[in-house]
Amino acid sequence: MEHVHLAAEEDDLYSGYNDYNPTFDSEELDNDAGFQQAVRTSHGRRPPMTAKFPGTAIGGRALGTSFGSRMPMASSMGRPMTGAVQDGAARPMTAVRAAGYSSAMTRGSTFDPLGQSKGPAPPLEGKSEDTPDEKVKILEKKVNDLIEESCLAHGHGDLQLVSLPLAKEAGRKERALVRQREQSGNADHINLDLTYSVLFNLATQYANNDMYAEALNTYQVIVKNKMFSNAGRLKVNMANIHFKQKNYPKAIKLYRMALDQISNSHKEMRIKIMQNIGVVFIRMGQYSDAITSFEHIMSECPNIKTGFNLILCYYAIGDRERMKKAFQKLICVPLGIDEEDKYIPPNVSTSILHPHYPPRQVMVILCGCFCRCVDMVKSSQYVELANDLEINKAITYLRQRDFNQAVETLKTFEKKDSRVKSAAATNLSFLYFLEKDYDQADRYADLAMTADRYNPAALINKGNTVFVKKDYEKAAEFYKEALRNDSSCTEALYNLGLTYKRLGRLEESLDCFLKLHAILRNSAQVMWQLASLFEMLEDPHQAIEWLMQLITVTPTDPQVLAKLGELYDSEGDKSQAFQYYQESFRYFPSNIDVIEWLGAYYIDTQFCEKAIQYFERATLIQPTQVKWQLMVASCYRRSGNYQKALETYKDIHRKFPENVECLRFLVRLCTDMGMKEVQDYATKLKKVEKMKEIREQRVKSAREGSARGTRREGSASSDSGHSSHGTSAKGERLSAKMRALPGSNEPYEASSQRDIDASYVDPLGAPMERPKTAAKKRNEEDEFADEELGDDLLPE
């Protein structure tokens, strides 16, 4: 038991909180001599105590200050000193030196360790513009600005008045810049690019102003300077000036010199120079030399311009055989433009026969040559070839959008032989079909079939005219006959597939399009029809497969992408559907169905703030549809932005003052937010509902009256009088109701709560339920359950 110790009585947990330690009293620090001495000493350290205390010697030695034997001096208030040993534990030091205190600090001085009390820093010294380098930079900038202004003036057509004087001024400034560099000893740092730009611009402006001598001298300065790289190319410009001066030998010499200085890697530039050489030879009458240049160009890089010039040279020397071969080569030259654009008459300058004829005269010459060619063929033994040329002429008019000329040309074949007559009537039927003149289209289709029953194009046109009249069975027969005459006729097979689709014979339609896909592997229309058929056959997986193949052909088609999104959505794959709908919206942001789906998707995923941008776009597309604006307001409300939602509803009410749903939302929001406007909106809501009810009664009465009038037709006059009396009585009752309604400026009195129907249906659906926060109900009873809250406790 001697080793058993009883637990001491537990101390009071709240003891000691009211004890007061004068050490932490900061109000008497000004009167604390020890603290003030510590502040005034260097780095806040107390001065060492070297004085000995009298009468305290121990063992013949006074109590000193060495090796921890120093006794700390207590402050006047009994405050422990910094660094003193208390209770046997030394306080750790917190810094080597004080933070900002100095021996020069006195009482009342400001603590400013960063020296910010000295005022703002002096302003930066401005850069001197008197230094040689700065003068050079300023001059360079002025020269560049003058060159730019000169080029802009040339682009605006101000040649003599502005462009040339600016170019000359740039030259003077550049020479002053060179002298400035030489004076400052920086002659090795001359900007050669700037010098080249100044000289080249000056020579160009001289040439543009027909000052050819000055231009040649300036170009000569550039060419002779070996420090300018690739300056030999400017000999082409010099040769062009000699060509304008009709100094052809000098022009050819300079062209050839420029050609020698251009490497074979610049093939296009070499071809252009050789074209110029050939044109100069034509001007000189040396057709053989010109033919040599043109033949080399046609073998290396054939083009229309060179081909025509080569034919002219062969014509000049009278070589008909080589003319034919050159013409055949010219036909094989690709135009480098789209199929639809190559038949459009050019509105810009052409250089086929440049510089002999202007562009309009070139078109007249070509058309005249075509007509002359047709007349020559007609008078020969190849009369059928002339008819084909006439048909091609009509087709060319079609491609040039000149339908009247095409129709006039084709109508000349109505009295020709059967084959030509059938071809012309087929084209005329197609033209009238495009113009939606189906009667004329049907007439010429019959004429083409009469002339040549085995013409598949005529049978297709006849089937089309029957198809638009919705006689699908008969149209299918014409398409089948066209396929029997020509099994490779893709138009007939495609139209037959569409006809079977309209008739609901989906399997037969699918066979047609599968055959067509085997012929036209990359046809987007065929793939779309296959996907549509599989969707109608309730095979969405196959439909998706065909659409996936389709987007490899047309990856930016918004309709295809939207269809993929629709199919994935029907399969329940929301993420894939969202991806394709988003891509469709990116390429075509005006599809209202896509916009509606994307907005609903963000609402379903509880990102209402992201749905706002889509519904706002829908509002721009359909500004008269109130539902999109209600969607925007509902999104603001669901995202917690009640103030913005209220403003949106108010804006909707201004645009659509009779919209009941908007007024119900306004009543509910103003009620929830405690706004005084709730009574005004409630009054308007009641008025609108009343007017709606009256309109519905009027419509109902009108329908009932028309029904009664139909039943009583042929009845006696007495019955009609009685009916009119009943109708007048009903009209009096209706007018009495209208008079009972207050005017537009009179307030409505809400006598009872049931008169105002403030209920509403959220267009976005019911919000998600708030998750429960307690696992079970509390057993404690509410102390205030039976008390009624007074009006003074309700929020204002």
Side-chain angles (χ1 to χ4, degrees), residues 281-470:
F281 276 130
I282 291 176
R283 289 297 184 92
M284 295 174 67
Q286 299 179 11
Y287 298 110
S288 299
D289 295 332
I291 288 172
T292 303
S293 296
F294 293 142
E295 284 181 344
H296 177 74
I297 296 172
M298 291 298 290
S299 63
E300 293 290 331
C301 183
N303 58 80
I304 299 294
K305 175 182 176 180
T306 305
F308 266 103
N309 289 336
L310 182 58
I311 292 174
L312 290 176
C313 291
Y314 286 141
Y315 176 79
I317 64 176
D319 194 341
R320 295 187 176 182
E321 293 298 326
R322 296 171 74 181
M323 277 183 66
K324 294 178 182 178
K325 294 180 180 179
F327 190 77
Q328 291 176 354
K329 289 183 179 179
L330 181 63
I331 293 175
C332 299
V333 173
L335 297 178
I337 57 178
D338 295 335
E339 182 71 19
E340 296 294 330
D341 297 336
K342 67 181 181 181
Y343 296 99
I344 299 176
N347 295 323
V348 296
S349 177
T350 180
S351 59
I352 292 178
L353 301 176
H354 179 77
H356 299 283
Y357 304 104
R360 182 56 58 187
Q361 190 173 355
V362 169
M363 294 299 299
V364 173
I365 290 173
L366 292 177
C367 293
C369 291
F370 190 88
C371 296
R372 178 65 176 170
C373 181
V374 172
D375 293 337
M376 292 290 291
V377 174
K378 283 182 180 179
S379 61
S380 67
Q381 57 181 346
Y382 304 104
V383 179
E384 294 183 356
L385 181 60
N387 294 331
D388 292 339
L389 289 175
E390 285 284 351
I391 295 244
N392 289 333
K393 179 182 176 182
I395 294 174
T396 304
Y397 280 132
L398 281 179
R399 287 170 173 162
Q400 291 180 354
R401 308 294 193 270
D402 193 351
F403 296 105
N404 294 328
Q405 285 289 341
V407 170
E408 292 297 326
T409 305
L410 291 172
K411 283 184 176 180
T412 59
F413 291 96
E414 292 187 10
K415 298 181 181 180
K416 297 290 181 67
D417 61 343
S418 60
R419 190 186 64 83
V420 179
K421 184 177 181 179
S422 177
T426 301
N427 289 324
L428 282 170
S429 175
F430 177 69
L431 275 177
Y432 283 120
F433 186 84
L434 291 180
E435 294 178 351
K436 297 184 178 181
D437 189 352
Y438 300 124
D439 294 333
Q440 287 290 337
D442 187 56
R443 172 175 170 270
Y444 280 100
D446 290 334
L447 185 62
M449 290 171 58
T450 303
D452 185 6
R453 184 72 184 188
Y454 295 98
N455 185 357
L459 292 167
I460 292 172
N461 287 343
K462 181 62 178 179
N464 292 342
T465 57
V466 177
F467 184 92
V468 296
K469 296 177 182 177
K470 298 183 179 181

Side-chain angles (χ1 to χ4, degrees), residues 601-638:
Y601 173 80
Y602 279 118
I603 291 170
D604 292 340
T605 54
Q606 301 299 315
F607 290 103
C608 298
E609 61 277 2
K610 292 186 178 181
I612 293 173
Q613 59 175 329
Y614 296 102
F615 292 132
E616 286 179 344
R617 183 172 289 274
T619 302
L620 295 176
I621 298 171
Q622 295 180 347
T624 59
Q625 294 288 333
V626 68
K627 68 175 183 178
W628 305 121
Q629 302 182 41
L630 289 173
M631 291 284 192
V632 173
S634 186
C635 287
Y636 279 125
R637 183 175 53 81
R638 285 199 166 202

Side-chain angles (χ1 to χ4, degrees), residues 207-226:
N208 292 332
N209 288 276
D210 297 335
M211 301 171 66
Y212 297 129
E214 291 84 353
L216 288 172
N217 291 334
T218 308
Y219 279 127
Q220 196 70 23
V221 172
I222 301 175
V223 171
K224 287 184 177 181
N225 194 335
K226 302 298 182 182

